Amino acid sequence: MAPGLVAEGSNEALSLSDALLRCVAFSSEDWEIAESTLQFWCSLAHCILGIDEQTSKRNATQELFLPVFSSLLDALLFRAQIIDIDEHCTGRVSSIPDGLVQFRLNLEELLVDICLLLGAPAYINKLLSSGWGLASQSIPWKEVEVRMYALSMVADTILQDGSPFDFSVVMHFVNILSSRTPAELNGCQFLVYKSFGDVIGSYSKWLSSSKSNIKPLLLFCASGISKSISSNSCSVALRKLCEDASSFIHEPPILDILFWISEGMGEGNLRIEDEEEIISAITHALCSILDKELRKTSLARLLCSSYSAVEKIIDIDRDELLRQNSSAYAQALNIAVRGLHRMGALFSHLAMSITSGLIDDDTISVLFGIFWPLLEKLTQSSHMENTSLSTAACRSLSSAIHSCGQHFQILLPKILECLSMNFLLYQRHDCFLRTAANMIEEFGHKEEYSVVCVRTIETFSSAASLSNLNSSYTCDQEPDLIEAYANFTSAFIRCCPKEAIVASRSLLELSFQKAAICSTAMHQGAALVAISYMSCFFDASLTDVLESPECPSDESRGAVLVQILARCGEGLMFNVFYALLGVSALSRVHKSATMLQKLAALCSLCERTMWKGILCWDSLCGWLQTTVSSLSSEYLRQGEAELIIPLWLKVLQDAASDYLHSRTGDNCRNHPGYMQGKGGRTLKRVIRDFAESHRNVPTPYIDSRWSCRQQLS
C-alpha cells in the first residue's frame, strides 16, 4: 500500500501501520528487518507534513497518526539500543556493532520527521520523562544512551523551534558521570559519555546560558576527553562551550579547569585532531580575558605547555644515547609532533581574534618571541628528516605567519632559505614547498624581497625530485609533491613583483611544461592541480593584456607570461587532448574546458591588440591542427580528425567571446561565471562528448621527449 493511501487513515491503513511497528520492534541479531521499514515511515511522514498545515485535514490526519509515530519512536529507541553489554562489568570499553552504527545513521531523517510531527516539546518530554530513578546505581544506562543519541540527532530542529527546554535531567546525568572514576565505569557508560558529549555540543548555546552549568559541563568534558571512544565528541563540546559562554568563560575558577585540561594533554593519549579542538577552545577563552596583562601571560602559559614538548626533541641532538634508543626517540618525536600541532592550533585561532581586535600587538610580540627561536632551532636540526615532525613544524609556522604577520616579515629571507635548503635535503617533504607558498602569499609582493623569491624558486627547481617530473608515470608517483609545487609556482606568479617574474622566466616556462605533462597523469588529483596551475597562467596573462593593450617591453610580467604561453602552446594543446583520453578523462572536462576558454580568449584578445606579434588566433589554429594531425588511428576514429578542427575552432571562438565579455565593464561583476554563457557551455559539452566517446581507448604514456609532430603508433 502506498504511503499516500495509508495517510488517508482507513482501518486497513492503521492495521498495516501496526504490523510495521511490530517489524520495527522485532528483536534480532541484525537490524535489516527494522531498517527495511524506514523508507515507508519517512514517506508517510512526508505525506502528512506535506498537507497544508492550516487545513483541518492536516490537523485531523496528524492527530490520527500521533499515537502511531509515538509508538514508532518507542520501537526505534528499543532497536537502536546497544546490545550484549553487561552493565555491571566495569573497566571494559565497548564499541557499537557495525550494523547498529549503520542503522543509527539511517535513522536521522526519520527522527527529525517524528520530532516535527509530535512537536519539539512532546518529543523532548518523551525522551527525558522515563521515570528513571535518581539513585545512580539503578539507572538503565543503555536506555539513557540511546535517548541522548535521539536528542542530539534532532538538535537543529529543536533549536529552530525554540521551545523551552528543561536541561535538569541532562545536568543530573552529567554530574553523576563526571564524578565517577574510570574504575567505576562499565562498557556502556563509556559510550554514554559520547552521546552526552554530542548533546552538550549540539545544545551548548542553551546549556551555557546558565552560569551554574559551566563548571560541571567543563568537568564532564574533561572526564570524557580522557576516554578514547568519547574524546572527539567531548573535545568538540568543550570548544562550543568556550565559544558560547564567552561572557564568563574567562573567570579564574573556570580558567583553572581549562589549564588543567591542557596540561593533561602532555600524556599523548588523544588524537591530534582532538588536541587541536581543545587548544582552540582554551585559546578562545583566554582571548576573552579583559585584563590585557592576564590575557598575555595566560596565552604565553598555554603556548609554553607545548613548548617543552618540542624543546625535548631539540635537546636529543646533544644526547647521543637517547638518539640511539629507537623506542625513546620515537616517543619523543611523537610528543614533539603533538606539541607542534597544538602550537599551530593556538596561532590559527589567534588569527581570528586578531581580526576582531581582541588581541593587541604586544601580546603577539610575546608569543612570537616564545615561538620563533624554538622553531628556528628545530628547522635547523636533523630531526626534520622525519616526515611527521617536518609537516607539523611547517604547519605551525604557516599558522604563526598568518597570525603574527609583520613580525615574520623581516625573517622572510632566513625562513625561505631554511625551507629551500631543507627541501634539497628531504625532497619528498612537500611541506617545505607549501610553507614557502604561504610566505610568498603573505610578503612576496614587496619589491625588496624579489631577489630572495627568485633564489627560492631557483633552489626548489634544482631539486632532483622536481626535475624528474618529466612523464605522466612519475607524476602518478608524486601527487602531493605536484600539488605543492603547483601551489608554490601559482603563488609566485600571483604575488611576486615583475622583477622576480622576469628573472625567473626560464624556470616558469619549465614549470608550465611540467604542468602540461602532469595534466595527463592517471592520478586525478595530480592532473587537476596541474590544469589549475596552467589556468593561473592564463588568468595573470589576460589581466595584464586587458590592462595594457599596448604591448609593453619584455621586462613586464605580462610579456614574460605571454611569451611562455606562445612557446608552450603547442605542447599544451597536445597534452590536453591526451588528458581527455581514457577512463579518468571525464573528471577533467570542466577544468580543461575552463582552461581552453581562457587560452582562446587570450589568443583572440592578442589578435586585436599590439600583442599580436607574440600571440594571435592563428597560433591557436596551428596548435590545434598540429595536435589533431599527430593523433594516430589508435585514438581517433576514421574521418574524425577532419571534423574536430572546424568544430573546436568554432566553439573556442564563441567561448572566447563569452569570456572577454564577462571581463569588461560591469560584466565583470554581473557575470563572474565564465562557463555560464552559451559559448562556454557549448565548449564544455563538446569536450565532454569527446572524453565520453574516447573512454575505451588506451591511455597513452606521456613524457617530455614527445613532440606534437611525432606520429604515434
Side-chain angles (χ1 to χ4, degrees):
M1 185 181 292
L5 295 176
V6 174
E8 296 293 331
S10 65
N11 290 334
E12 293 83 359
L14 294 175
S15 297
L16 175 62
S17 299
D18 184 61
L20 289 173
L21 281 174
R22 288 196 293 273
C23 290
V24 174
F26 180 75
S27 182
S28 64
E29 293 184 358
D30 58 50
W31 290 265
E32 288 186 7
I33 295 176
E35 198 167 10
S36 65
T37 69
L38 298 185
Q39 185 59 46
F40 167 81
W41 293 114
C42 285
S43 300
L44 178 59
H46 291 169
C47 286
I48 298 172
L49 292 169
I51 302 173
D52 187 348
E53 61 181 336
Q54 301 301 321
T55 64
S56 57
K57 180 181 179 182
R58 161 74 178 267
N59 295 333
T61 303
Q62 192 164 346
E63 185 175 349
L64 178 66
F65 280 94
L66 279 179
V68 174
F69 281 93
S70 180
S71 298
L72 175 62
L73 180 58
D74 289 333
L76 291 173
L77 292 175
F78 172 74
R79 286 301 289 131
Q81 274 190 37
I82 305 165
I83 59 174
D84 297 333
I85 290 181
D86 185 355
E87 296 196 357
H88 304 290
C89 179
T90 59
R92 179 170 61 88
V93 179
S94 298
S95 59
I96 302 178
D98 292 341
L100 179 54
V101 170
Q102 187 60 48
F103 179 66
R104 286 187 170 193
L105 287 174
N106 294 335
L107 281 184
E108 182 174 359
E109 181 184 1
L110 181 53
L111 289 174
V112 169
D113 290 339
I114 293 173
C115 183
L116 290 171
L117 284 167
L118 299 183
Y123 183 92
I124 295 168
N125 185 63
K126 194 165 183 63
L127 293 180
L128 300 183
S129 301
S130 298
W132 295 317
L134 295 181
S136 61
Q137 298 301 322
S138 61
I139 296 172
W141 287 109
K142 289 193 291 187
E143 186 178 338
V144 172
E145 189 277 334
V146 75
R147 289 171 184 269
M148 291 303 106
Y149 152 77
L151 186 60
S152 66
M153 283 294 99
V154 298
D156 290 341
T157 304
I158 291 175
L159 290 170
Q160 188 174 6
D161 182 84
S163 300
F165 193 156
D166 182 4
F167 283 98
S168 58
V169 175
V170 173
M171 293 305 301
H172 171 68
F173 288 119
V174 163
N175 286 315
I176 290 174
L177 289 167
S178 57
S179 64
R180 293 197 168 189
T181 65
E184 295 175 310
L185 296 173
N186 61 49
C188 181
Q189 287 172 25
F190 285 108
L191 294 167
V192 173
Y193 267 93
K194 181 183 184 306
S195 292
F196 270 95
D198 291 335
V199 167
I200 293 169
S202 299
Y203 298 95
S204 61
K205 285 188 177 180
W206 287 1
L207 283 163
S208 61
S209 62
S210 174
K211 185 177 179 180
S212 61
N213 286 343
I214 297 301
K215 184 175 180 179
L217 288 171
L218 292 180
L219 290 173
F220 172 84
C221 289
S223 181
I225 284 167
S226 65
K227 301 160 185 61
S228 60
I229 200 166
S230 58
S231 62
N232 181 254
S233 60
C234 288
S235 58
V236 171
L238 177 70
R239 176 178 55 79
K240 291 185 176 180
L241 285 171
C242 289
E243 291 172 352
D244 294 331
S246 55
S247 58
F248 40 79
I249 198 70
H250 54 266
E251 295 182 0
I254 296 176
L255 291 181
D256 288 341
I257 296 174
L258 294 177
F259 275 116
W260 172 61
I261 293 173
S262 71
E263 289 159 4
M265 289 190 294
E267 299 175 3
N269 297 324
L270 302 177
R271 296 189 311 164
I272 288 176
E273 295 84 352
D274 297 337
E275 290 190 355
E276 290 178 340
E277 289 278 8
I278 295 166
I279 289 296
S280 294
I282 300 172
T283 304
H284 186 91
L286 299 184
C287 287
S288 66
I289 296 175
L290 302 179
D291 186 294
K292 288 186 178 181
E293 282 302 311
L294 178 59
R295 183 171 61 218
K296 180 169 60 179
T297 56
S298 297
L299 285 168
R301 177 183 172 186
L302 181 61
L303 186 63
C304 286
S305 66
S306 300
Y307 182 103
S308 58
V310 182
E311 191 174 36
K312 288 178 182 177
I313 197 71
I314 296 174
D315 290 340
I316 290 179
D317 275 342
R318 298 187 291 271
D319 188 345
E320 284 298 323
L321 290 177
L322 185 57
R323 185 68 179 264
Q324 292 169 10
N325 186 332
S326 58
S327 176
Y329 181 60
Q331 184 179 12
L333 274 174
N334 179 57
I335 293 172
V337 168
R338 290 174 175 274
L340 288 166
H341 277 286
R342 293 198 295 271
M343 285 180 162
L346 185 150
F347 282 112
S348 291
H349 195 90
L350 211 58
M352 294 183 285
S353 299
I354 293 169
T355 303
S356 59
L358 293 174
I359 299 299
D360 58 285
D361 191 64
D362 187 40
T363 301
I364 295 299
S365 297
V366 170
L367 299 177
F368 173 78
I370 296 171
F371 172 77
W372 172 245
L374 176 73
L375 201 69
E376 184 178 19
K377 292 179 185 177
L378 181 63
T379 54
Q380 294 173 355
S381 73
S382 60
H383 305 297
M384 297 301 283
E385 181 180 7
N386 181 272
T387 305
S388 297
L389 186 74
S390 58
T391 300
C394 286
R395 183 179 175 186
S396 62
L397 176 58
S398 294
S399 299
I401 289 167
H402 289 312
S403 58
C404 296
Q406 296 305 111
H407 294 276
F408 274 101
Q409 180 178 330
I410 196 172
L411 297 171
L412 179 70
K414 179 182 288 188
I415 294 175
L416 286 180
E417 181 181 3
C418 177
L419 292 169
S420 56
M421 296 311 297
N422 269 321
F423 183 69
L424 287 183
L425 289 172
Y426 317 113
Q427 296 192 23
R428 294 297 182 268
H429 292 17
D430 56 88
C431 57
F432 300 120
L433 283 163
R434 297 180 191 278
T435 307
N438 290 332
M439 287 293 292
I440 286 179
E441 285 181 344
E442 196 77 23
F443 308 115
H445 61 282
K446 298 182 178 295
E447 292 186 5
E448 60 266 34
Y449 295 125
S450 292
V451 174
V452 176
C453 292
V454 171
R455 193 162 60 239
T456 302
I457 194 173
E458 287 175 346
T459 306
F460 283 146
S461 300
S462 68
S465 59
L466 294 180
S467 300
N468 291 335
L469 294 177
N470 52 17
S471 71
S472 54
Y473 175 77
T474 55
C475 292
D476 281 328
Q477 310 309 307
E478 300 288 352
D480 292 336
L481 191 61
I482 290 169
E483 180 183 353
Y485 179 50
N487 288 338
F488 172 79
T489 45
S490 293
F492 190 92
I493 290 170
R494 287 184 286 103
C495 303
C496 285
K498 64 178 182 180
E499 293 82 4
I501 302 295
V502 172
S504 306
R505 67 173 75 207
S506 61
L507 297 175
L508 292 175
E509 182 170 345
L510 186 63
S511 72
F512 191 91
Q513 292 168 351
K514 290 184 181 298
I517 294 170
C518 290
S519 69
T520 66
M522 288 290 291
H523 191 283
Q524 180 176 319
L528 293 180
V529 77
I531 297 172
S532 294
Y533 169 53
M534 290 187 288
S535 283
C536 172
F537 244 85
F538 293 125
D539 285 332
S541 302
L542 280 158
T543 298
D544 289 352
V545 176
L546 284 166
E547 291 178 355
S548 304
E550 298 294 327
C551 182
S553 69
D554 287 351
E555 300 304 305
S556 71
R557 184 185 76 159
V560 169
L561 298 182
V562 173
Q563 287 168 3
I564 290 173
L565 293 174
R567 288 192 293 270
C568 297
E570 187 176 284
L572 167 64
M573 188 66 70
F574 171 79
N575 284 288
V576 165
F577 265 85
Y578 280 99
L580 295 172
L581 297 174
V583 294
S584 59
L586 285 173
S587 63
R588 304 167 201 194
V589 166
H590 178 74
K591 284 187 177 291
S592 296
T594 304
M595 180 180 65
L596 287 176
Q597 184 182 31
K598 293 176 183 178
L599 173 61
L602 182 62
C603 292
S604 178
L605 181 61
C606 289
E607 178 78 21
R608 298 181 247 158
T609 65
M610 298 297 292
W611 295 77
K612 185 176 181 180
I614 304 175
L615 190 68
C616 61
W617 188 255
D618 284 344
S619 305
L620 179 62
C621 297
W623 299 336
L624 184 62
Q625 177 74 47
T626 302
T627 297
V628 174
S629 63
S630 71
L631 297 175
S632 72
S633 57
E634 184 181 5
Y635 302 111
L636 295 181
R637 296 183 297 274
Q638 185 174 4
E640 187 177 7
E642 290 74 15
L643 298 175
I644 286 178
I645 295 174
L647 173 63
W648 281 51
L649 285 177
K650 175 64 170 67
V651 296
L652 282 168
Q653 193 168 40
D654 293 342
S657 298
D658 280 354
Y659 185 96
L660 294 175
H661 177 72
S662 71
R663 290 290 299 268
T664 57
D666 292 336
N667 298 319
C668 198
R669 181 174 60 254
N670 299 330
H671 304 284
Y674 309 133
M675 304 301 292
Q676 299 305 310
K678 181 180 179 182
R681 290 195 300 270
T682 303
L683 173 63
K684 187 174 180 180
R685 177 181 57 77
V686 167
I687 292 176
R688 175 176 282 112
D689 289 345
F690 178 83
E692 187 75 64
S693 61
H694 293 80
R695 294 178 68 179
N696 296 323
V697 303
T699 303
Y701 167 76
I702 307 295
D703 66 35
S704 58
R705 296 168 296 176
W706 281 27
S707 165
C708 299
R709 295 182 175 87
Q710 285 180 282
Q711 192 73 21
L712 303 178
S713 59

